[in-house]
Amino acid sequence: MSASLKHRRVAFLATDGVEQVELQGPWEALEAAGAECTLIAPHAGAVQAVHHGEKGAHFAVDLTLQEADAEAYDALILPGGLASPDALRANRRAVAFVRAFGDTGRPLAAICHGPWLLIEAGLTQGRRLTSWPAIRSDLLNAGATWEDEPVVVDTPLITSRKPADVPAFAARVAQAIREEPAVA
């Protein structure tokens, strides 16, 4: 990935229980390409990540949902894991933030269980998406077409299935950001 994302702002929405590789992998790839990454969470302090259910690293929260403005970002990433997306889909501010970002038409990417937030925000009807296989039925019931592919793009939505898909996911997100005009 070339350093072509200078002056681009990417929001990551997560909370405790986020799958570490699904947060850290895209973050590091996009940052290496020049993007400014921001971790948004429901609470201040730090987010406790996990490695397949086992405690992982802590990541400093840059902004709380109360402080964040969806209009300020060129892209939004919803990392997976089981616990983080499940907690966020029950948080009205998180759902409102995802819905508001969805209204911008800018790249909105979700991996693993992250598409739960797309469902809750009402962004899946008639869309082609992928996810962790266990939530396939949830996406189908929410009106999406589910595809078993490493990355599925239905602009502006970008979805991936699992940690092994992170490199392809991060590359496709970077491409989508480069293709869009920068936020002023």
Side-chain angles (χ1 to χ4, degrees):
M1 231 181 288
S2 66
S4 61
L5 297 181
K6 192 171 182 180
H7 306 298
R8 297 303 187 105
R9 300 183 71 210
V10 180
F12 285 75
L13 178 58
T15 194
D16 298 319
V18 64
E19 187 66 40
Q20 185 166 326
V21 70
E22 294 173 2
L23 170 63
Q24 192 170 19
W27 183 292
E28 289 175 353
L30 294 170
E31 200 170 57
E36 175 190 331
C37 298
T38 301
L39 179 56
I40 300 169
H43 57 80
V47 166
Q48 169 73 65
V50 296
H51 286 293
H52 307 292
E54 300 296 322
K55 285 188 177 181
H58 285 89
F59 292 87
V61 172
D62 297 304
L63 290 174
T64 65
L65 275 164
Q66 189 168 347
E67 301 166 315
D69 176 8
E71 293 289 332
Y73 298 95
D74 294 290
L76 172 61
I77 297 181
L78 307 172
L82 178 62
S84 177
D86 191 43
L88 290 171
R89 69 181 175 156
N91 180 307
R92 65 179 174 76
R93 278 202 171 126
V95 173
F97 185 82
V98 172
R99 187 177 300 117
F101 192 87
D103 289 344
T104 71
R106 294 184 205 117
L108 174 49
I111 187 168
C112 189
H113 286 77
W116 266 341
L117 282 153
L118 301 176
I119 292 169
E120 205 62 39
L123 301 174
T124 57
Q125 183 67 42
R127 296 298 195 148
R128 292 177 26 259
L129 304 169
T130 195
S131 65
W132 184 254
I135 69 166
R136 174 182 178 268
S137 293
D138 297 342
L139 285 166
L140 292 172
N141 289 336
T145 299
W146 190 86
E147 298 178 9
D148 188 13
E149 296 293 333
V151 179
V152 174
V153 178
D154 190 344
T155 304
L157 302 179
I158 302 164
T159 52
S160 278
R161 304 170 301 187
K162 57 189 174 185
D165 298 336
V166 165
F169 177 67
R172 188 56 186 94
V173 170
Q175 178 185 342
I177 296 168
R178 279 193 300 274
E179 292 170 353
E180 288 292 316
V183 171

